[in-house]
Amino acid sequence: MLQDFGIIKTENNFSISDIATRFLSNDYLNKKEILPIEISRGCRFKCTYCSYPLIGQKNMDDYLKFQEVLKEELLDNYNKWGVTQYYIVDDTFNDSREKLTVIRDMIVTLPFQPTFWCYARLDLIAIWPDTLDLLYQIGIRSMFFGIETLNRRTGLIIGKGYEKDKLIATVKTIKQRYPDIILYGSFIIGAPYESVESVKETQRLLCSGEFPLDNWKFNPLQIWRPTTINRTIHRGIVEDFARENVSIGRIGNGTGNIVSIGQNG
């Protein structure tokens, strides 16, 4: 057994593909529960700040739950307790058109319509606009986007370099076509080349409604040892990062607004 950065690694690997989560009678569930559900494990992407395991997975089929196993899990919770609401714990739920199509094709065979909350990438909906309908047909009614930045240069460094105007347009499209989908966004303060002015402009767009997310939050950049951004900084590729890092002194006032911004000294 090896231990690295708090993760216990063993020689035994358990496939998610044929494992269904079973809740028991002594879990005391009722039909209003919002249950966690895992459909796939890992992430196709490899954002430079991310310290999660199983990132950069190219063959996600090896980490995807079988269609019939997922259906069995949903039916079991519905038949026993009447549960229809879930939050999907996958790192990036909308990472593949094929994955969404398979799940949609299973969902329509159920005797009820489940609803889901999920982590998703906004840029993928912009790139594959047809997946918005798939997400809605699956039952997605709330999405959390790790947008991180609207600064193009910063985005290219951290792995989130899609164009600001297209991201904003995509959110507007989602709200126009499916106003009952609730949209959350998170942003990182302190990434390379993100200036105070850039952060304030993002705040302005959010507060004015020009970037119509329903809720949002700002988090200071946290640099973990086994991440690409940590190795990049130590190699001196981002030379002015340590000098010009912007951080939040205090974040949020209940409305998503930035309360104060401090310059690191």
Side-chain angles (χ1 to χ4, degrees):
M1 180 180 294
L2 302 174
Q3 186 167 353
D4 179 28
F5 196 60
I7 299 171
I8 305 296
K9 299 178 181 179
T10 70
E11 294 181 357
N12 297 321
N13 295 315
F14 298 94
S15 172
I16 187 179
S17 301
D18 56 358
I19 298 177
T21 300
R22 298 295 186 195
F23 291 94
L24 306 176
S25 59
N26 59 1
D27 288 314
Y28 301 106
L29 300 181
N30 63 69
K31 66 180 181 180
K32 294 184 179 180
E33 300 284 354
I34 302 175
L35 296 180
I37 191 166
E38 186 175 31
I39 297 173
S40 64
R41 188 171 294 163
C43 183
R44 289 181 186 271
F45 305 99
K46 197 172 183 179
C47 297
T48 61
Y49 56 84
C50 186
S51 62
Y52 287 0
L54 296 178
I55 60 175
Q57 300 294 331
K58 298 306 179 186
N59 187 9
M60 289 302 295
D61 290 343
D62 293 341
Y63 299 91
L64 184 65
K65 187 170 288 186
F66 289 145
Q67 184 179 9
E68 59 271 20
V69 175
L70 179 59
K71 181 177 181 178
E72 179 185 350
E73 191 172 326
L74 294 169
L75 281 172
D76 188 61
N77 294 331
Y78 180 74
N79 292 330
K80 288 181 178 178
W81 296 287
V83 171
T84 62
Q85 300 179 90
Y86 294 87
Y87 63 92
I88 299 170
V89 300
D90 301 19
D91 294 340
T92 309
F93 179 62
N94 66 328
D95 56 7
S96 161
R97 266 201 190 104
E98 293 74 21
K99 169 185 169 182
L100 296 180
T101 301
V102 166
I103 295 171
R104 189 277 312 274
D105 291 348
M106 180 276 295
I107 290 292
V108 298
T109 68
L110 294 172
F112 65 97
Q113 173 63 64
T115 57
F116 301 94
W117 175 101
C118 73
Y119 296 102
R121 282 190 63 136
L122 179 58
D123 54 354
L124 293 183
I125 299 176
I127 294 168
W128 303 324
D130 56 299
T131 60
L132 176 56
D133 293 330
L134 286 173
L135 288 163
Y136 196 82
Q137 291 161 11
I138 287 169
I140 298 297
R141 296 299 182 268
S142 183
M143 288 186 280
F144 184 100
F145 301 124
I147 300 168
E148 319 311 0
T149 183
L150 295 181
N151 183 300
R152 176 76 165 169
R153 187 181 185 191
T154 300
L156 290 172
I157 290 173
I158 66 174
K160 294 287 182 76
Y162 205 64
E163 296 176 39
K164 176 181 71 175
D165 291 345
K166 291 182 179 180
L167 293 176
I168 293 173
T170 300
V171 168
K172 290 179 178 179
T173 296
I174 296 171
K175 298 305 292 182
Q176 289 167 1
R177 290 175 58 184
Y178 298 113
D180 56 330
I181 296 182
I182 299 172
L183 304 179
Y184 301 85
S186 69
F187 300 85
I188 292 176
I189 309 300
Y193 305 114
E194 181 86 77
S195 66
V196 173
E197 290 72 24
S198 175
V199 173
K200 287 183 176 179
E201 174 61 12
T202 298
Q203 179 199 16
R204 187 193 67 78
L205 290 168
L206 291 164
C207 293
S208 68
E210 294 173 62
F211 193 11
L213 295 172
D214 295 295
N215 205 341
W216 64 87
K217 65 178 182 178
F218 291 85
N219 295 311
L221 175 67
Q222 299 181 55
I223 301 175
W224 300 99
R225 178 167 51 83
T227 60
T228 302
I229 198 168
N230 179 63
R231 293 190 296 271
T232 298
I233 291 166
H234 279 83
R235 287 201 307 267
I237 295 175
V238 184
E239 296 176 354
D240 60 349
F241 177 70
R243 295 194 306 273
E244 299 182 7
N245 181 26
V246 176
S247 67
I248 289 295
R250 193 154 54 94
I251 305 172
N253 62 2
T255 63
N257 296 345
I258 303 174
V259 175
S260 63
I261 301 177
Q263 186 82 17
N264 277 358

